[in-house]
Amino acid sequence: MRLVIRIGGSVIASPVNVELIEKYAHILKQLKIQGHEVVAVIGGGKTARKFIEIANKLGLGEKDQDEVAISISRLFAQLFIKKLEKISCGKVPTSLAEVTRYLDEGKLVVMGGLKPGITTDTVAAMVAEKIDADLIVKATDQEGIYDKDPRKHKDAVKLDRVSIENLTQIFERDKHEAGIHQILDPEAVKIIQRARLKVVVVNGFNPENVLLAVKGKRGIGTLIE
């Protein structure tokens, strides 16, 4: 299978969790050994948002704030690349063309953000569309997708399955903002709908959930299809 694994900064970088980074590196290695083609997209989480805040206080515009956040996500990607050694792509890709080239070379690809105006969610969706991925697995800080924000509503209900058509009805934000934090950002949703991408959103604090999602185990997180 061609897989895009989206590892949320909310999981490994809010604050930085070295143990989880190590576990995810092991999971990615396992997927590669199992014969999957893998692209991992790493977020910057609170670490990136802290630097966005600093950039904002310095009077920098949203584009500059985004560029700072991208740099943070790429730093985390670089940690994974170093940890994965020879099976990895060696350097953090900065374009979709580089991603496809590394995949064609048989490498495990790890990346962060690409350009201002889009989050790593959108990057993951763009990559999945470009490489015709079989599945996106997003490891996040929640159990899956809820009918409303569980951080604001105690009666929020987790959804086991969501149709691609209904995605836009669930999420509150409908446009990109620097540091946006919701399970799937608006631009990613548009690409998922356009390309009819299959997605599973899982609780990323248990990295094994990623393996279970790839195996097709039901009841793990939320399936979007």
Side-chain angles (χ1 to χ4, degrees):
M1 291 174 67
R2 279 200 156 182
L3 305 171
V4 175
I5 310 298
R6 168 76 174 89
I7 302 174
S10 59
V11 174
I12 63 161
S14 305
V16 178
N17 189 321
V18 175
E19 184 180 352
L20 273 179
I21 291 173
E22 287 189 322
K23 286 181 178 179
Y24 271 106
H26 179 67
I27 292 289
L28 295 176
K29 197 171 188 177
Q30 280 186 272
L31 290 171
K32 178 68 175 168
I33 290 170
Q34 289 170 9
H36 300 293
E37 294 179 273
V38 182
V39 179
V41 182
I42 315 298
K46 284 184 180 178
T47 308
R49 286 193 288 278
K50 180 63 177 176
F51 275 85
I52 287 171
E53 183 184 335
I54 292 168
N56 184 47
K57 287 179 179 178
L58 287 171
L60 303 182
E62 190 161 298
K63 179 176 180 290
D64 292 327
Q65 294 173 33
D66 269 349
E67 286 179 345
V68 169
I70 288 167
S71 296
I72 299 300
S73 67
R74 288 177 178 174
L75 278 174
F76 282 107
Q78 189 175 18
L79 289 173
F80 275 89
I81 287 170
K82 298 295 184 185
K83 182 69 177 174
L84 290 164
E85 299 179 319
K86 291 182 180 180
I87 67 168
S88 78
C89 50
K91 66 181 285 290
V92 180
T94 57
S95 70
L96 294 178
E98 284 187 278
V99 172
T100 56
R101 176 165 62 83
Y102 284 131
L103 270 187
D104 289 342
E105 292 173 357
K107 298 297 185 181
L108 195 165
V109 183
V110 189
M111 64 190 301
L114 276 183
K115 61 182 181 180
I118 62 172
T119 69
T120 39
D121 276 346
T122 301
V123 170
M126 288 169 62
V127 169
E129 183 178 35
K130 176 72 174 177
I131 69 172
D132 193 23
D134 298 291
L135 179 67
I136 300 172
V137 181
K138 177 167 183 184
T140 187
D141 60 352
Q142 296 180 30
E143 292 294 331
I145 296 175
Y146 290 74
D147 61 344
K148 48 193 168 184
D149 191 340
R151 291 167 298 190
K152 298 177 182 177
H153 306 280
K154 291 183 178 180
D155 61 341
V157 176
K158 186 181 84 69
L159 306 171
D160 290 331
R161 184 184 177 280
V162 176
S163 71
I164 287 175
E165 290 78 14
N166 290 339
L167 276 178
T168 49
Q169 299 173 21
I170 294 171
F171 300 117
E172 296 179 0
R173 307 279 189 90
D174 60 1
K175 65 178 182 179
H176 173 78
E177 298 170 14
I180 188 172
H181 181 52
Q182 64 181 36
I183 283 191
L184 286 171
D185 80 73
E187 294 306 313
V189 168
K190 290 175 185 176
I191 297 170
I192 289 166
Q193 291 178 322
R194 178 179 73 218
R196 306 293 300 179
L197 299 170
K198 184 178 180 180
V199 184
V200 180
V201 178
V202 300
N203 182 336
F205 290 111
N206 180 5
E208 291 292 325
N209 285 337
V210 172
L211 291 178
L212 293 173
V214 170
K215 290 177 181 176
K217 183 173 176 60
R218 298 289 176 169
I220 302 297
T222 301
L223 172 65
I224 302 168
E225 64 177 358

